[in-house]
Amino acid sequence: MDVTRLFGCNVFGDEVMKNSLPEEVYKSLRRTIEEGAPLDVGIAGTVANAMKDWAVSKGATHYTHWFQPLTNLTAEKHDSFLEPDGDRAILRLSGKDLIVGEPDASSFPSGGTRATSAARGYTAWDPTSPAFVKEGTLYIPTVFVSYTGETLDKKAPLLKSMTALDAQAKRLLKLFGIEARRVATTVGPEQEYFLIDEEVYKKRKDLILTGRTLFGTPCARGQELEDNYFGALKPRVSAFMRDLDETLWSYGVFSKTKHNEVAPAQHELAPVFATANIAVDANQLTMELMKKTAEKHHLVCLLHEKPFEGINGSGKHNNWSLSTDSGLNLLDPGETPERNLRFMLILACIVAAVDDYQGILRASVASAGNDHRLGADEAPPAIISVYLGDQLGAIVDSIVMGRTYVSKRPVPGSIGVPSSPIFPIDTTDRNRTSPFAFTGNKFEFRMLGSQASVADPNIVLNTIAAQAFSDAVDALEGAKDFEKACRAYTEKLFKQHYRIIFNYNGYGPDWEKEAERRGLLNNKTTADAAGELLKPENIAVFVRQGVYTEKEVLARADIVLENYVKTIAIEARTMIEMARREIFPAVSAYIKELCEGIAARRAACENLPITSDMGTAESLARLNDDFLSAVETLEEDLKNVPSDTKAAAGAMAHIVSCDMEKVRALADGMERLTAAKYWPFPTYFELLYSVR
Ligand code: ADP
Ligand code: MG
């Protein structure tokens, strides 16, 4: 297979455009794609026709405006190219078809920005992300807005945040004499997931309805031997990964790295980074194709943040950087960062932004699923902090303490094996416990959950960085002695925001106490985290940077909470159903068998020992009683959840979730005592170890 020919073969990419469009049209479109110049509507008809011809040559009969509503999924509605021409049919895609669509918006979440009666919504082409053909349909990436202009998706605010950052970063670079045509956010999301066998999956209502196991005792062997991480791939997994890679490559997704993760049955895929909006589209496509490809292999891909208790959950490390059109990475510290004024100023701005807006950064990754992961000794805690590593940490320390920095050059290292090459040792180690870690020439935001859209955290990162850059330029523009002013401003920021820097173990219990002392936020549940979006200073930053209106921020807060409430309600109802109709009867049946055995033994011979059977039957009977009353409490509390979204979220976080934990603990206790053949659904052992 020629991978270079396979790559992007289903994408309406640069080469196809160049070959199929008149030169002027091609140039105009490239200007829009590369510089974000407004699209010349006059060329839409020509582009649409070329796109249609190309798509038809790839076997497409339909097209769809592909958009990202305020769920974590994508939406699509397919229209065929077919149009009547007398009594014949012709294939057509007009300029208007390409540029705008009008799906009914009433059934997508809007957080109250749109009344149900006002159902109109528009999708508008995003020419900066390439169209592609998949399964007979031409996919046109679009943004989604309401009739009254409010954004109803994640893409429009992402593009607006990129525009804001571009403008402010260019202003900042100008201070240093650099004229960039464009500064783009680059994003590389590392995607974690689980693969389990389809037959086993089908027997678990909780996995089917909620994406995670609501019951299950940990398997005798979890991840303690640390032998899954980077372990050899099992044949079925390897075949799946190969198939997935080839599919992704055909859609122009740069899938690069694949490996086993820490937990049994857990894996990861990392792409080569791309401009933020393209990376977001690619990640949505990746998640979708992971599920579809798994199906082909009789596997199921679980993207939930915490499918199994007792072993690691899945996240999505959001690698984020900024780079100019000429390829200058603004987060590249160079050989001597301490003398790199521009880098140190940019770093200080980002540190300040993360400190000032820690609340909305945390809120951007808030979901019911992710609450199980943050702070569970496997992912960073719910507290935001910044890790800078040894070298930058020492430089910032010296700035803050007013000491002279003594540079530690990277030393040529050898691993001590005579035949191995000498190589420079990195100046930053990895710190996997930090939520926001500097990793060489980018920041890695590690709090994002595995099934979430990558758009959310990047909208926030771009917005708050744009604000910090804008503040810096306002302060430094026109300074008489720019170098001196810049150093002083950088120093001021590091001093003011020193509390957010934490270079040690973020998993330790001491950190929580220390963070509290420093006055850092620690919003453990989505119910608390979403409240940050309502604070005036947080709303203000989105409004000032032109990313959201106030109404849109409030709507988003509402959607986060609504989604949280609904998710936990579905989990609770699923739990009740499995408890009453599967677990309770199964345990009762086993108790009955034990009792019949005891009676039979007694009848056969008075002297046969019955103690263990009696003991087990008694324990189970008691547990099953307690279990049913715990289920009744859950039912009752679920019924009493208030209708107001904010109050409901509080009840879900602090009452219903606790009830669910109790129900689960009792069920898991019974699982340990119940004969395997009576247990009504597959156990953790079968879930985690069935794929060979
Ligand atoms: P690690 O996290 O293990 O250090 P890498 O350095 O290879 O691994 O990068 C991990 C992810 O970071 C990859 O998806 C990669 O594309 C992405 N990445 C690397 N450089 C950048 C950058 N400048 N901007 C955004 N993402 C980047
Ligand atoms: Mg990483």
Side-chain angles (χ1 to χ4, degrees):
M1 179 190 37
D2 182 350
V3 175
T4 53
R5 281 189 57 180
L6 172 70
F7 189 84
C9 67
N10 291 322
V11 180
F12 189 69
D14 188 56
E15 206 174 309
V16 194
M17 279 184 217
K18 202 180 214 160
N19 294 336
S20 63
L21 296 171
E23 198 179 329
E24 276 317 300
V25 174
Y26 170 76
K27 276 190 184 153
S28 166
L29 188 57
R30 282 300 330 161
R31 266 198 301 280
T32 298
I33 294 171
E34 280 163 22
E35 296 164 36
L39 178 77
D40 171 6
V41 180
I43 67 168
T46 314
V47 178
N49 196 48
M51 226 186 235
K52 183 259 305 170
D53 285 345
W54 169 80
V56 169
S57 80
K58 289 268 156 197
T61 51
H62 288 68
Y63 71 94
T64 181
H65 275 200
W66 189 54
F67 58 102
Q68 300 173 16
L70 298 170
T71 59
N72 282 320
L73 303 171
T74 54
E76 50 193 76
K77 180 182 89 172
H78 300 215
D79 283 301
S80 81
F81 292 125
L82 231 51
E83 267 188 24
D85 180 35
D87 58 355
R88 290 179 335 126
I90 53 161
L91 300 179
R92 203 171 116 85
L93 181 71
S94 72
K96 184 171 174 291
D97 292 337
L98 170 64
I99 292 182
V100 281
E102 198 191 314
D104 185 330
S106 58
S107 296
F108 292 104
S110 76
T113 44
R114 181 197 41 68
T116 318
S117 55
R120 259 182 216 274
Y122 296 99
T123 48
W125 180 33
D126 168 14
T128 61
S129 182
F132 55 92
V133 167
K134 181 162 76 69
E135 294 145 17
T137 296
L138 169 68
Y139 281 72
I140 303 167
T142 58
V143 298
F144 183 39
V145 295
S146 76
Y147 180 60
T148 43
E150 275 94 16
T151 57
L152 292 173
D153 72 345
K154 305 201 174 193
K155 196 68 180 293
L158 177 71
L159 293 169
K160 288 179 185 175
S161 74
M162 290 166 70
T163 305
L165 188 64
D166 169 56
Q168 300 309 327
K170 279 195 297 214
R171 280 180 74 209
L172 186 139
L173 288 178
K174 238 188 216 145
L175 296 177
F176 295 89
I178 299 173
E179 293 281 345
R181 270 163 56 208
R182 182 162 182 231
V183 177
T185 328
T186 51
V187 170
E190 302 164 60
Q191 176 75 48
E192 291 179 335
Y193 61 97
F194 279 86
L195 276 185
I196 63 170
D197 187 81
E198 183 184 59
E199 288 309 311
V200 186
Y201 169 85
K202 279 189 199 152
K203 297 181 184 140
R204 298 275 317 212
K205 207 174 263 172
D206 48 2
L207 281 177
I208 295 172
L209 295 180
T210 74
R212 74 179 183 105
T213 53
L214 300 170
F215 298 102
T217 358
C219 180
R221 176 174 176 154
Q223 61 195 41
E224 57 277 77
L225 290 179
E226 299 175 334
D227 54 353
N228 196 55
Y229 193 53
F230 285 12
L233 301 174
K234 291 172 180 157
R236 276 181 79 188
V237 174
S238 180
F240 158 84
M241 287 179 170
R242 189 166 185 86
D243 196 356
L244 176 64
D245 269 345
E246 285 169 15
T247 311
L248 287 172
W249 291 337
S250 81
Y251 296 119
V253 177
F254 268 101
S255 168
K256 173 91 174 158
T257 312
K258 52 187 182 185
H259 62 80
N260 284 347
E261 256 299 327
V262 171
Q266 194 185 28
H267 315 281
E268 179 180 299
L269 180 153
V272 175
F273 66 93
T275 308
N277 62 322
I278 294 174
V280 168
D281 286 359
N283 182 253
Q284 290 292 353
L285 202 54
T286 302
M287 291 196 284
E288 180 192 319
L289 291 170
M290 276 180 162
K291 292 192 164 173
K292 282 195 178 149
T293 308
E295 246 171 71
K296 261 174 45 192
H297 292 253
H298 303 289
L299 296 165
V300 175
C301 171
L302 303 177
L303 289 175
H304 193 281
E305 284 82 10
K306 192 73 183 176
F308 305 102
E309 283 278 316
I311 53 173
N312 279 9
S314 301
K316 181 144 57 188
H317 290 175
N318 185 75
N319 293 275
W320 175 86
S321 192
L322 308 167
S323 103
T324 67
D325 51 288
S326 60
L328 172 70
N329 180 344
L330 300 188
L331 293 184
D332 185 351
E335 298 263 302
T336 50
E338 69 277 19
R339 279 188 251 142
N340 187 341
L341 270 192
R342 168 170 46 84
F343 172 76
M344 291 310 289
L345 175 65
I346 289 173
L347 184 69
C349 286
I350 292 170
V351 167
V354 172
D355 184 27
D356 280 337
Y357 300 107
Q358 38 180 300
I360 43 175
L361 204 47
R362 161 71 179 100
S364 76
V365 297
S367 70
N370 213 19
D371 282 357
H372 294 288
R373 201 180 135 255
L374 299 178
D377 266 10
E378 57 176 81
I383 309 160
I384 303 263
S385 65
V386 179
Y387 170 83
L388 294 178
D390 293 343
Q391 188 189 29
L392 289 182
I395 295 173
V396 172
D397 283 351
S398 68
I399 293 175
V400 171
M401 314 294 176
R403 290 192 304 246
T404 320
Y405 170 71
V406 186
S407 146
K408 276 189 269 176
R409 291 275 152 270
V411 281
S414 158
I415 43 180
V417 178
S419 56
S420 83
I422 307 282
F423 54 90
I425 301 274
D426 291 320
T427 51
T428 52
D429 191 6
R430 286 162 201 265
N431 179 336
R432 296 180 54 92
T433 69
S434 176
F436 196 74
F438 186 76
T439 48
N441 58 5
K442 61 187 184 332
F443 272 103
E444 187 167 344
F445 184 42
R446 301 203 178 101
M447 279 178 137
L448 186 59
S450 45
Q451 61 183 338
S453 159
V454 204
D456 295 306
N458 290 300
I459 292 169
V460 173
L461 285 170
N462 295 345
T463 304
I464 65 178
Q467 183 60 48
F469 290 168
S470 149
D471 292 343
V473 179
D474 291 348
L476 296 173
E477 239 168 8
K480 279 203 203 80
D481 182 344
F482 172 69
E483 208 179 302
K484 196 169 154 214
C486 183
R487 273 187 212 289
Y489 187 81
T490 303
E491 183 182 323
K492 186 183 88 174
L493 287 187
F494 280 129
K495 280 187 173 154
Q496 266 172 9
H497 300 283
Y498 195 55
R499 64 171 188 167
I500 198 81
I501 298 171
F502 182 67
N503 286 325
Y504 309 99
N505 183 10
Y507 290 2
D510 297 344
W511 170 229
E512 246 188 282
K513 279 192 223 118
E514 167 67 12
E516 195 182 336
R517 201 187 55 72
R518 294 187 187 191
L520 300 177
L521 294 171
N522 186 4
N523 286 319
K524 290 192 177 162
T525 70
T526 298
D528 304 321
E532 293 292 325
L533 287 167
L534 311 178
K535 293 189 175 161
E537 65 273 27
N538 290 337
I539 295 174
V541 72
F542 288 121
V543 176
R544 247 184 281 153
Q545 293 307 321
V547 175
Y548 290 130
T549 61
E550 174 168 2
K551 197 169 157 193
E552 287 169 344
V553 181
L554 298 180
R556 266 147 227 258
D558 214 56
I559 288 169
V560 171
L561 287 177
E562 210 177 273
N563 189 279
Y564 176 74
V565 171
K566 286 179 183 164
T567 303
I568 297 185
I570 292 170
E571 289 182 350
R573 290 197 296 267
T574 307
M575 181 169 237
I576 292 166
E577 190 171 320
M578 289 173 80
R580 281 197 178 278
R581 304 189 52 210
E582 297 186 46
I583 300 176
F584 183 80
V587 174
S588 280
Y590 181 49
I591 296 171
K592 182 171 170 235
E593 189 195 280
L594 285 170
C595 292
E596 282 170 0
I598 293 165
R601 229 176 285 172
R602 273 199 181 128
C605 168
E606 289 256 319
N607 294 336
L608 280 178
I610 49 167
T611 329
S612 330
D613 299 67
M614 285 280 277
T616 306
E618 200 183 326
S619 303
L620 277 175
R622 213 169 271 140
L623 281 169
N624 219 17
D625 268 359
D626 293 349
F627 178 62
L628 208 62
S629 31
V631 172
E632 282 162 2
T633 308
L634 172 62
E635 282 169 330
E636 200 52 34
D637 288 338
L638 191 61
K639 240 188 263 158
N640 293 330
V641 168
S643 56
D644 167 70
T645 312
K646 195 152 180 278
M652 288 302 185
H654 305 296
I655 302 171
V656 174
S657 296
C658 302
D659 290 347
M660 289 175 68
E661 270 173 37
K662 283 184 201 141
V663 170
R664 178 178 188 144
L666 287 161
D668 292 357
M670 296 197 294
E671 188 194 320
R672 286 186 203 102
L673 297 178
T674 305
K677 68 172 186 189
Y678 277 89
W679 202 249
F681 39 72
T683 61
Y684 269 27
F685 168 69
E686 292 156 285
L687 289 169
L688 294 170
Y689 290 98
S690 291
V691 177
R692 293 279 110 216

